């Protein structure tokens, strides 16, 4: 059973960005030099320099003004820049808005949320996580029931499908599934808080499709409980230590709702309508067992 998100995660951002990504950033920030290949080599070798460029207003403005930006840069770069902008806004704010069924409620935790994503590994993990939801998939596998094999469709946005998939794997193979269950929970609470809180105005058709794929309806609290539990389960797995993700998993498990705050801000203020076009639009992909 293999989805792209089951591959080992990389938290070194400079290794994840493509040459086209770096050229996009360089062209947005360099008005005089044209030796882009040379600058690209320098940027790859200097993470601190790359960080300065990703924080540059010109990069954000170029992305924000381009309706086709998703076709020009990788999702990894896109969300790395957007989350850094969300971090800046959190630093400037005194409170965040927490979605509730009756309406948004101010919570004075903006500084704590900013401190959480001040940790580069946490911020870059969240960017990778968001990138993994740009294209979601359903895959068909043969599952054995006694002497009979039956076809079973697993959707990688469906918590129930993922939990069922984990049961088919030996314990040493479950880490990516545990991580994905937690990631789906954080994604739903962070990017679509209006829907999991019970307020479903915009993007109704998108939400209806997702909701129909879930066997059990869940609200924000339920997703938070699942996300917290499965980030901790993932952190305890030996694969988390080997991949260098154990500390990130612990942090997200310990501060699940706080980790959702930069995603809430991104969804509400930076990509309120684009989120419906960017996430989950990929076609289902059948697979062999």
């Amino acid at each position: 059973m293999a989805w792209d998100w089951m591959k080992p995660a990389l938290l070194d951002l400079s290794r994840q960005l493509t040459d086209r990504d770096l050229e996009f950033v360089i062209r947005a920030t360099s008005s005089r030099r044209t030796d882009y290949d040379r600058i690209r080599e320098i940027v790859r070798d200097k993470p601190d320099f790359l960080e300065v460029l990703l924080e540059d207003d010109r990069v954000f403005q170029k992305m924000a003004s381009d309706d086709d930006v998703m076709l020009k840069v990788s999702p990894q770069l896109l969300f790395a820049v957007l989350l850094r902008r969300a971090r800046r806004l959190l630093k400037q704010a005194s409170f965040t808005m927490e979605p509730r069924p009756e309406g948004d409620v101010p919570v004075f935790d903006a500084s704590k949320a900013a401190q959480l994503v001040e940790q580069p590994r946490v911020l870059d993990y969240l960017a990778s996580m968001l990138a993994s939801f740009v294209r979601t998939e359903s895959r068909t596998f043969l599952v054995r029931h006694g002497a009979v094999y039956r076809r079973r469709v697993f959707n990688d946005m469906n918590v129930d499908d993922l939990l069922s998939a984990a049961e088919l794997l030996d314990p040493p193979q479950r880490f990516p599934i545990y991580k994905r269950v937690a990631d789906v929970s954080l994604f739903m609470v962070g990017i679509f808080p209006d829907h999991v809180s019970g307020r479903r105005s915009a993007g109704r058709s998108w939400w209806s499709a997702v909701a129909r794929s879930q066997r059990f309806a869940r609200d924000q609290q339920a997703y938070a409980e699942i996300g917290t539990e499965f980030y901790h389960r993932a952190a305890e797995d030996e694969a988390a230590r080997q991949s260098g993700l154990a500390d990130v998993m612990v942090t997200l498990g310990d501060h699940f709702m706080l980790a959702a705050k930069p995603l809430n801000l991104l969804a509400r203020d930076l990509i309120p309508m684009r989120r419906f076009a960017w996430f989950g639009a990929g076609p289902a992909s059948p697979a062999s067992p």
Side-chain angles (χ1 to χ4, degrees):
M1 188 177 296
W3 282 284
D4 286 343
W5 48 262
M6 295 185 77
K7 298 174 182 177
L10 295 174
L11 289 183
D12 182 348
L13 184 61
S14 65
R15 293 174 59 193
Q16 297 180 60
L17 300 183
T18 66
D19 286 347
R20 188 170 70 161
D21 287 338
L22 294 180
E23 183 163 335
F24 181 95
V25 171
I26 293 165
R27 285 181 179 273
T29 55
S30 178
S31 57
R32 297 180 179 179
R33 295 184 60 172
T34 58
D35 51 338
Y36 300 123
D37 290 344
R38 174 57 182 155
I39 301 174
R40 190 167 60 229
E41 292 176 7
I42 295 172
V43 171
R44 279 209 187 276
D45 292 337
K46 295 185 180 296
D48 291 344
F49 184 31
L50 174 61
E51 185 65 28
V52 171
L53 295 181
L54 295 181
E55 289 270 12
D56 195 298
D57 283 338
R58 290 170 293 182
V59 177
F60 172 76
Q61 294 300 336
K62 188 172 182 179
M63 287 184 170
S65 63
D66 191 339
D67 291 336
D68 296 323
V69 64
M70 187 66 84
L71 302 177
K72 298 177 181 178
V73 301
S74 71
Q76 185 67 46
L77 173 62
L78 178 63
F79 295 119
V81 171
L82 290 175
L83 281 170
R84 282 163 173 78
R85 176 53 59 115
R87 180 176 65 188
R88 180 189 298 187
L89 295 176
L90 284 169
K91 288 180 180 180
Q92 298 168 353
S94 57
F95 59 86
T96 65
M97 300 303 294
E98 192 163 290
R100 304 280 177 81
E102 64 276 10
D104 291 348
V105 176
V107 179
F108 294 90
D109 60 357
S111 62
K112 291 182 179 179
Q115 288 172 15
L116 184 66
V117 286
E118 278 289 348
Q119 303 177 50
R121 288 168 59 78
V122 171
L123 187 145
D124 289 337
Y125 179 86
L126 292 177
S128 294
M129 183 197 80
L130 291 177
S132 76
F133 287 105
V134 168
R135 187 179 188 278
T136 59
E137 298 178 292
S138 293
R139 291 178 178 264
T140 302
F141 297 91
L142 291 180
V143 178
R144 184 173 180 175
H145 295 271
V148 179
Y149 284 89
R150 296 177 182 172
R151 291 188 177 276
R152 172 73 189 278
V153 177
F154 292 91
N155 186 299
D156 68 353
M157 266 290 293
N158 186 306
V159 166
D160 307 299
D161 280 355
L162 291 166
L163 293 175
S164 296
E167 294 177 359
L168 301 176
L169 299 173
D170 294 331
Q173 300 175 306
R174 292 176 182 173
F175 169 71
I177 299 290
Y178 289 164
K179 185 169 74 69
R180 183 66 171 187
V181 168
D183 286 348
V184 169
S185 301
L186 183 56
F187 174 80
M188 297 302 293
V189 172
I191 298 298
F192 293 98
D194 41 348
H195 298 298
V196 299
S197 67
R199 304 200 323 274
R200 301 169 188 167
S201 51
R204 186 181 302 273
S205 61
W206 183 95
W207 176 257
S208 297
V210 173
R212 285 196 300 271
S213 75
Q214 308 292 323
R215 271 177 270 159
F216 302 102
R218 291 186 172 89
D219 60 12
Q220 177 176 281
Q221 181 177 350
Y223 275 119
E225 291 173 354
I226 292 171
T228 297
E229 176 184 350
F230 278 87
Y231 275 130
H232 283 142
R233 283 200 192 189
E236 294 168 358
D237 197 289
E238 175 64 18
R241 186 190 64 77
Q242 293 178 355
S243 61
L245 288 174
D247 59 336
V248 176
M249 300 290 98
V250 169
T251 298
L252 294 176
D254 287 347
H255 305 286
F256 182 89
M257 288 305 298
L258 199 61
K261 294 306 178 72
L263 305 184
N264 291 160
L265 190 152
L266 188 154
R268 185 187 68 246
D269 295 342
L270 301 181
I271 58 167
M273 296 309 298
R274 283 181 168 187
R275 57 184 174 149
F276 298 106
W278 286 355
F279 293 115
S285 176
S288 302

